[in-house]
Amino acid sequence: MLPVKPSSRVTIRDVAATAGVSVATVSKVLNARYGVSAATSAHVQAVIRELGYEASLVAQSLRNHKTNVIGILVADLEPFSTELLKGAAKAIKGTGYELVVYSAGGRTGDQAGWEQRYLSRLSGTLVDGAVLVTPTVVEVDFGSAVVAVDPHTGPTGLPTVDSDSLLGARTGVRHLLDLGHRRIALIGGRPDLESAKLREQGYRDELREAGIEVDPRLIQPGNYDADDSAAAARRLLESPERPTALFAANDMSAIAAIEVAVAMGLRVPEDLSVVGFDNVPEAALASPSLTTVEQPIHEMGHRAIDLLIQLMHGEQVQNSHIRLATRLVVRHSTSRLLA
């Protein structure tokens, strides 16, 4: 066989030249059309495998009006979205679809509607449907099926998958109350994200139900950012009346708070009990290991893909707003309040 330059993309013409057949013959083999003998078809397929030829998604879309590719758009590849992608990847197996991940690289900033701009780059010829992770808007003009995971504004007209942030937060705070803590601080999440608002509401509701007045000085913004959360933790722990326990709106904020506490000479959990939210792998690896409220992130990714494929196939969907349960995972960052 004639070698193809490794630096160039293998084209259908390269396959035809190497196999000694016409481009039309290769096209027939690729599209399983009649008019090619079994021997010739086997020969062409062997050349395709040897050269590593892959049909262009754009060309395939123009021919078939579909690519069998699903796009997942994330603002950044951080622990939550990474775990969600694992669930999505598991769900895609055996479906005949492939996944392409499009990350904004954290460049979305405060720009509402980032997903609409990135969707426009993928629409028409690259993907048949899309999953948006923590989108800022849920009214998008895409022309194909779209599912939102943990949208900023909560469920609206767009199909959504999220977890019970309100009850999850209440469960985490209740755990601290049951351990005897009364001065419990909160490091909140991103103020623009509905799930973060629900976690703060759950914190407030559980304290009020326990007859404890919410102290605004114990609520600090963390924005789901490690540096912001570390600064928030330092403000809380340098206070003359520092908290004995802390609930963080996500695990990375909780881990940042633990690191600050240890750097200040405090013992976790003896001097400060800490609860997070998410149960990303880093939670179990933290020192001490982090007690956290687990949201089923893998299942969220899996259910989002399942729902999207149903919509893409035009199937009847009974529930287009899926909310999954959370649960408390107790590890070593919490203990009973010492008298």
Side-chain angles (χ1 to χ4, degrees):
M1 294 183 179
L2 297 175
V4 175
K5 292 181 181 179
S7 60
S8 62
R9 174 185 172 86
V10 179
T11 68
I12 192 171
R13 286 183 171 81
D14 295 325
V15 174
T18 304
V21 298
S22 68
V23 170
T25 297
V26 177
S27 179
K28 288 179 180 179
V29 172
L30 288 171
N31 293 285
R33 293 175 184 159
Y34 294 107
V36 182
S37 70
T40 300
S41 179
H43 173 59
V44 171
Q45 289 174 13
V47 172
I48 288 171
R49 288 192 297 272
E50 182 167 336
L51 296 183
Y53 171 75
E54 289 286 348
S56 163
L57 288 178
V58 174
Q60 181 177 317
S61 173
L62 293 173
R63 287 195 306 269
N64 306 326
H65 303 291
K66 62 184 301 186
T67 63
N68 288 334
V69 174
I70 289 172
I72 298 187
L73 279 69
V74 297
D76 201 2
L77 289 171
E78 35 67 45
F80 173 81
S81 61
T82 300
E83 291 304 301
L84 189 133
L85 288 172
K86 293 177 183 178
K90 186 175 181 179
I92 210 75
K93 291 181 179 178
T95 64
Y97 289 95
E98 298 177 359
L99 286 180
V100 60
V101 180
Y102 196 104
S103 171
R107 296 190 302 273
T108 58
D110 297 325
Q111 303 174 33
W114 64 267
E115 56 286 308
Q116 182 62 70
R117 292 188 293 276
Y118 290 104
L119 265 180
S120 66
R121 299 183 184 183
L122 300 177
S123 65
T125 57
L126 290 179
V127 299
D128 296 336
V131 174
L132 310 180
V133 180
T134 62
T136 59
V137 296
V138 290
E139 302 300 334
V140 295
D141 181 17
F142 182 48
S144 300
V146 177
V147 171
V149 176
D150 195 16
H152 285 215
T153 57
T156 60
L158 195 68
T160 58
V161 178
D162 62 14
S163 66
D164 196 337
S165 288
L166 178 64
L167 183 58
R170 296 195 65 158
T171 300
V173 175
R174 169 51 56 187
H175 171 65
L176 294 170
L177 290 168
D178 289 344
L179 292 173
H181 296 279
R182 292 297 178 268
R183 191 162 177 79
I184 302 171
L186 169 71
I187 295 182
R190 281 169 35 192
D192 62 324
L193 195 58
E194 180 70 9
S195 58
K197 297 175 184 177
L198 290 172
R199 291 170 200 178
E200 180 172 338
Q201 182 184 333
Y203 162 85
R204 291 174 176 272
D205 289 350
E206 197 63 31
L207 289 182
R208 289 194 182 105
E209 188 168 298
I212 299 173
E213 184 177 352
V214 176
D215 185 346
R217 294 172 298 178
L218 291 179
I219 300 175
Q220 293 289 330
N223 301 311
Y224 290 155
D225 179 84
D227 291 338
D228 289 352
S229 296
R234 186 166 293 279
R235 287 193 296 270
L236 289 165
L237 298 178
E238 287 178 344
S239 169
E241 296 182 80
R242 64 175 178 81
T244 65
L246 185 151
F247 172 64
N250 78 341
D251 285 345
M252 303 315 292
S253 296
I255 292 170
I258 290 175
E259 292 172 349
V260 167
V262 171
M264 294 175 64
L266 299 175
R267 299 167 300 164
V268 178
E270 292 86 354
D271 299 321
L272 179 73
S273 285
V274 180
V275 174
F277 200 112
D278 279 341
N279 199 25
V280 296
E282 288 83 352
L285 300 174
S287 182
S289 58
L290 180 66
T291 294
T292 187
V293 177
E294 178 184 80
Q295 58 174 336
I297 305 175
H298 284 193
E299 186 180 355
M300 291 168 72
H302 201 297
R303 296 287 290 273
I305 292 295
D306 288 344
L307 178 57
L308 181 66
I309 291 176
Q310 284 182 281
L311 295 169
M312 289 164 57
H313 290 175
E315 298 176 13
Q316 188 70 30
V317 175
Q318 291 185 341
N319 181 15
S320 61
H321 297 301
I322 300 170
R323 175 155 291 171
L324 302 176
T326 56
R327 71 182 184 97
L328 182 69
V329 178
V330 179
R331 295 195 180 101
H332 297 114
S333 66
T334 53
S335 67
R336 184 163 295 279
L337 178 65
L338 301 176

